[in-house]
Amino acid sequence: VDFMQKLKILRIVLIGTVLAVSGGLWLLTRDQLALSRDSTAFVKDSVAAIGSHWDTAELLQRATPHFRAANNETDLRAQFAAANTSLGPLVEYRAVGGKANYLEALANKPLTADYIVRATFAKGEADIVIQAVRTGSTWRIDSFSIGASPEMRALLGMQG
C-alpha cells in the first residue's frame, strides 16, 4: 500500500471517529436535557402539591422508601404545621434552580437531581430544597427541606 492510500485510510478513520464521538455527545446531551426537563417538572409539581396546603401526605406519596424510613411522620406534620403558620400556602414560584446529575448514572449510581425552588407564600418567601432520585422511569423525593444555605444556592447557580 503506497503512502497516498495510507493517508486516505487515515482520513477515513479520523472522519469516522469524529462522527462517532459527535453522535455520542449529541445522544448524551439529548438524554441529559430530557432528564432535566422531567426532574424539573416533577419538582415543580411536587412543590405545588405539597406547598399549597403543607400536606404531609403529598410529600410521603412522592417520597422514596429511604425518606419515609428516615423521617417520622409526626415530626413532618409538626414541621409542616409550623411552615403553614409562618409562611401560609404557596402563591407562586419565583425561580427553580438545579438539574439532574446525569454523570452519576454513567458511573452506575442512582440518578439524582438537586433543586432549590424559590417560592412566594401568603405570608413570605422561602426556598424549598429537594433532592429527587429516579427509580425506573419515576422520580421520588429523597430529601426535602425548607430553606437553603448561600453555599447551596451558589452551587446550583442561584443568586442571593
Side-chain angles (χ1 to χ4, degrees), residues 9-11 13-15 30 34 40 46 63 67 72 76 78-79 89 115 123 126 128 133 135 137 140-141 143 146:
I9 291 170
L10 180 62
R11 277 190 298 217
V13 168
L14 286 173
I15 290 170
R30 181 193 67 179
T40 299
S46 295
F67 180 89
N72 179 303
L76 287 173
Q79 291 171 10
Y115 285 91
K123 300 177 186 176
I128 306 295
V133 175
T135 52
S137 62
R140 295 276 174 219
I141 295 172
S143 176
I146 303 166

Side-chain angles (χ1 to χ4, degrees), residues 107-158:
N108 288 327
K109 295 180 180 177
L111 179 60
T112 62
D114 297 304
Y115 285 91
I116 296 176
V117 178
R118 284 199 168 170
T120 301
F121 295 87
K123 300 177 186 176
E125 296 181 355
D127 293 336
I128 306 295
V129 181
I130 293 179
Q131 182 178 59
V133 175
R134 186 176 169 141
T135 52
S137 62
T138 305
W139 288 98
R140 295 276 174 219
I141 295 172
D142 200 47
S143 176
F144 182 97
S145 62
I146 303 166
S149 68
E151 294 82 11
M152 176 67 88
R153 285 195 290 276
L155 183 65
L156 295 178
M158 298 182 80

Side-chain angles (χ1 to χ4, degrees), residues 19 22 26-27 51 60-61 66 91 97 123 130-131 137 152:
L19 290 174
S22 298
W26 178 80
L27 287 173
L60 292 175
Q61 82 177 28
H66 171 261
V91 174
K123 300 177 186 176
I130 293 179
Q131 182 178 59
S137 62
M152 176 67 88

Side-chain angles (χ1 to χ4, degrees), residues 48-80:
I50 295 164
S52 64
H53 303 296
W54 292 106
D55 190 342
T56 309
E58 288 287 351
L59 172 59
L60 292 175
Q61 82 177 28
R62 291 171 168 76
T64 62
H66 171 261
F67 180 89
R68 287 192 297 268
N71 292 278
N72 179 303
E73 187 172 346
T74 304
D75 292 343
L76 287 173
R77 287 183 193 281
Q79 291 171 10
F80 278 22

